Amino acid sequence: MIELADARRTLLAACPSIAPVALPVARADRCVIVADVVATHAVPPFDNTSVDGYAVQAADTVTATQDQPVHLDVLGSVLAGSVADRPVEPGRTWKVMTGAPLPAGADAVVMVERTSARAGSQLGAAGDQVAILAPARSGAGIRRAGSDVRTGETVLAAGTVLRPAHLGVLGSVGAREVLVYRRLRVGVLVTGDELVTDGGELRPGQIHESNRAMLMALLVRANCEPMDLGVASDDVADLEQRLRHAMAACDVIVTSGGVSMGDSDPVKAVLERMGRLNWMQVAIRPAKPFAFGVLDGPSAPVLVLGLPGNPVSSLVSFELIARPALRHMMGHVEPYGPSVLAIADEQLGRPLADGRTAFLRVLSRIGPDGRVHVRPVTGQDSHQLSASASADALAEVPDDRTVQAGEDVLVYPLS
């Protein structure tokens, strides 16, 4: 057996690279930026108003109070997208809407709540008058040009994982496309003669197929584009034909089943026939068997990841081994998920020395102490998916160790 860290390093070193692509900003959420994005203009590009109100010369408002307001002549209204056709002079003002360019000559904006229009006012019409009820300091109510982004500034650095707010930043600097590592096209192929896919009655020795929908959903959460390759029999020729067909459309193929120690495990046999095979016994519980190969696709190398068939083993090996590989290929500087030092509310682990680190499925909560607390779900065997479905994290328990209630334990959030 090899340690999990060594298995991960071996796999990441073998992962083929993918070429960057230019994607429309609206389609780039959660993708990784390839190159720095530099602003070609300032944001905002001009001085503008941050409130609805009146653009004034602050000196005109120094004596303004509720009881003795200052009255100013209104030159008209400036909406967002329009421009004042003459400057503000002493004793005069423009009514302005939020986002409107600041009229020349003005050095402050009095918000409308601190003004009063005379009865019958046309709300900003030229020739009207407004009463200023409080003094305004110079600069009040104004967003200066470049106060968010300066021309030539790097707004997003290479390696940034785009989130919705980043997409807004790209829009603000006029970017319509962004160079990113694209989403991987990942095929999911489940193997096993015993699997029933139509929900029909089971014959002796058969089970309902359960891994395919789970893996497809995990791939969506990993920001990949999953492709359903169906369920293959344990016939080596059939499996090889399916894999060769999938290589034309996929960057990665994820298989489930057929990678354990059995004499007739087909995925191992096919990968050995088709090219390079790396078969590992990883020192973790569950999900010890794992296989991968890099095959020569028609246009680019294709990575094949062979997960074990037991449902929980398939889930855990995807989270701990396959997902980091996919993230690495999509440009993530940190391919591994976050970990949290939590407190065990119940005993975790088992007094079994088998050379493997246990990853127990646990439920987490934030305690009154502000820390993460976890407790195990009922049913920790590799086939007990219904019990594991409620878990939201994996707790790492070293070999031959029991974590007692109240002790610290390292946990990894799921998905």
Side-chain angles (χ1 to χ4, degrees):
M1 292 188 296
I2 66 173
E3 295 299 322
L4 175 61
D6 294 331
R8 286 169 154 179
R9 280 192 292 268
T10 299
L11 177 56
L12 262 61
C15 287
S17 59
I18 59 170
V21 297
L23 283 183
V25 168
R27 291 177 49 204
D29 184 35
R30 296 186 291 165
C31 293
V32 178
I33 291 180
V34 173
D36 292 349
V37 177
V38 178
T40 58
H41 62 76
V43 180
F46 48 82
D47 292 349
N48 68 91
T49 63
S50 62
V51 295
D52 293 339
Y54 290 85
V56 300
Q57 292 187 356
D60 278 346
T61 69
V62 172
T63 62
T65 65
Q66 289 274 351
D67 296 330
Q68 293 185 320
V70 171
H71 293 87
L72 300 177
D73 294 328
V74 178
L75 297 169
S77 296
V78 184
L79 306 179
S82 63
V83 179
D85 59 8
R86 52 179 165 160
V88 170
E89 298 170 342
R92 295 186 173 185
T93 182
W94 281 95
K95 187 172 185 180
V96 290
M97 301 296 112
T98 301
L102 183 70
D107 64 355
V109 176
V110 180
M111 65 176 60
V112 70
E113 293 86 348
R114 295 176 181 172
T115 67
S116 176
R118 62 181 173 82
S121 167
Q122 296 184 40
L123 301 177
D128 201 356
Q129 238 188 22
V130 64
I132 307 298
L133 308 178
R137 59 176 176 80
S138 179
I142 298 173
R143 297 183 288 215
R144 294 296 182 186
S147 56
D148 185 16
V149 176
R150 299 182 302 276
T151 302
E153 180 181 349
T154 297
V155 292
L156 293 175
T160 298
V161 183
L162 291 173
R163 299 192 300 270
H166 293 135
L167 306 186
V169 171
L170 290 168
S172 75
V173 298
R176 292 296 171 262
E177 291 186 331
V178 60
L179 192 65
V180 297
Y181 294 100
R182 62 173 173 80
R183 296 174 180 86
L184 292 171
R185 297 181 293 268
V186 184
V188 175
L189 179 62
V190 175
T191 66
D193 287 337
E194 75 280 13
L195 301 178
V196 173
T197 60
D198 61 3
E201 185 176 350
L202 299 177
R203 296 196 301 270
Q206 291 185 326
I207 60 173
H208 291 295
E209 190 281 314
S210 60
N211 288 356
R212 188 168 41 155
M214 176 182 71
L215 292 172
M216 296 278 286
L218 287 168
L219 287 167
V220 170
R221 294 194 175 201
N223 200 33
C224 297
E225 296 177 357
M227 302 175 64
D228 188 354
L229 303 180
V231 177
S233 69
D234 287 334
D235 179 73
V236 171
D238 174 52
L239 182 56
E240 180 174 347
Q241 182 180 12
R242 287 173 178 266
L243 287 174
R244 291 195 182 280
H245 178 74
M247 285 164 56
C250 300
D251 304 299
V252 180
I253 301 171
V254 173
T255 67
S256 178
V259 295
S260 65
M261 294 286 287
D263 294 333
S264 61
D265 290 327
V267 173
K268 287 165 52 182
V270 168
L271 291 179
E272 286 173 341
R273 285 175 53 171
M274 294 179 67
R276 293 153 281 176
L277 169 69
N278 289 270
W279 175 69
M280 299 184 290
Q281 294 286 296
V282 186
I284 59 176
R285 174 188 292 271
K288 180 172 70 171
F290 188 88
F292 74 91
V294 180
L295 307 180
D296 294 325
S299 59
V302 176
L303 178 67
V304 180
L305 302 175
L307 312 183
N310 273 327
V312 178
S313 296
S314 194
L315 169 68
V316 172
S317 61
F318 180 90
E319 292 285 356
L320 296 180
I321 306 175
R323 181 192 294 275
L326 300 175
R327 285 170 56 85
H328 175 72
M329 291 178 67
M330 291 188 291
H332 287 260
V333 177
E334 298 290 343
Y336 306 114
S339 60
V340 179
L341 194 62
I343 298 175
D345 284 343
E346 300 177 19
Q347 179 179 297
L348 299 172
R350 72 276 185 261
L352 172 65
D354 62 357
R356 293 192 281 171
T357 299
F359 285 90
L360 304 182
R361 278 71 68 204
V362 296
L363 278 168
S364 65
R365 67 180 180 89
I366 303 297
D369 56 359
R371 292 191 59 186
V372 176
H373 290 244
V374 297
R375 60 179 176 84
V377 299
T378 302
Q380 292 287 335
D381 287 342
S382 61
H383 69 288
Q384 293 179 304
L385 184 60
S386 61
S388 294
S390 61
D392 59 9
L394 300 174
E396 180 179 339
V397 180
D399 181 44
D400 195 23
R401 166 86 195 282
T402 299
V403 177
Q404 301 298 330
E407 291 186 336
D408 287 344
V409 63
L410 196 62
V411 301
Y412 303 86
L414 286 170
S415 298

